[in-house]
Amino acid sequence: MKTYTPVIDPQDQTWVVVDAANIPLGRLATVVASHIRGKHRPDFTPNIIMGDFVVVLNAEKVVLTGKKMDQKVYTRYTGYQGGLRKETARVAIAKHPERVIEHAVFGMLPKGRLGRALHTRLKVYPGTQHPHTAQAPKALEIK
């Protein structure tokens, strides 16, 4: 069965670049999720994909406040018996920093068909290089 998700005209969708260096993870995730969803637009409609494509750079330099680096635990299950794997935020950022930001943003997007379609609009890179220069992304400042 083919799923249909309504999307606005591609000419109305823009690309945005966000620098995650020295920005708290939660603050970054809320702004990024809002832009992916399209809540910054005056004609926002909750059941239509009308947000921007967001490119997040410097994922390895994102900041967690307080003791969250050592106390926040990411869990996943391998599918085998006894296959529960746990790692702290410090280890997760060291191994794969893009997954930490994706996990935070995806938790703020809607669940279901619309949310799965919105997941493709987030592009996260650990460094400053990205392959989306042809889309001429605009810089988004997070305070």
Side-chain angles (χ1 to χ4, degrees):
M1 180 173 155
K2 191 167 186 172
T3 59
Y4 172 72
T5 306
V7 182
I8 63 166
D9 186 25
Q11 265 59 12
D12 293 340
Q13 298 167 357
T14 59
W15 284 71
V16 177
V17 165
V18 177
D19 188 9
N22 299 323
I23 296 177
L25 178 63
R27 182 159 307 197
L28 173 74
T30 54
V31 172
V32 169
S34 177
H35 269 268
I36 290 173
R37 188 91 194 273
K39 287 190 161 191
H40 62 287
R41 296 172 55 108
D43 58 344
F44 169 69
T45 308
N47 63 329
I48 295 177
I49 297 177
M50 55 180 14
D52 300 335
F53 288 85
V54 179
V55 179
V56 179
L57 303 177
N58 290 323
E60 72 231 354
K61 296 179 183 173
V62 74
V63 176
L64 278 86
T65 57
K67 298 179 182 178
K68 289 186 204 121
M69 275 294 225
D70 298 315
Q71 291 180 350
K72 185 171 182 62
V73 177
Y74 292 98
T75 59
R76 63 185 177 86
Y77 184 64
T78 63
Y80 290 95
Q81 290 180 348
L84 186 66
R85 301 289 183 250
K86 297 179 182 180
E87 62 185 9
T88 63
R90 186 178 304 279
V91 173
I93 289 175
K95 282 207 280 193
H96 31 73
E98 57 277 347
R99 285 192 207 164
V100 173
I101 294 176
E102 288 173 359
H103 186 270
V105 172
F106 291 168
M108 296 180 184
L109 292 177
K111 288 17 172 210
R113 226 187 319 189
L114 182 70
R116 285 190 298 274
L118 290 172
H119 284 190
T120 61
R121 294 173 168 262
L122 176 64
K123 318 291 184 193
V124 185
Y125 299 99
T128 57
Q129 301 296 323
H130 66 89
H132 306 289
T133 53
Q135 284 75 20
K138 300 173 186 162
L140 178 65
E141 185 72 27
I142 298 178
K143 298 175 182 167

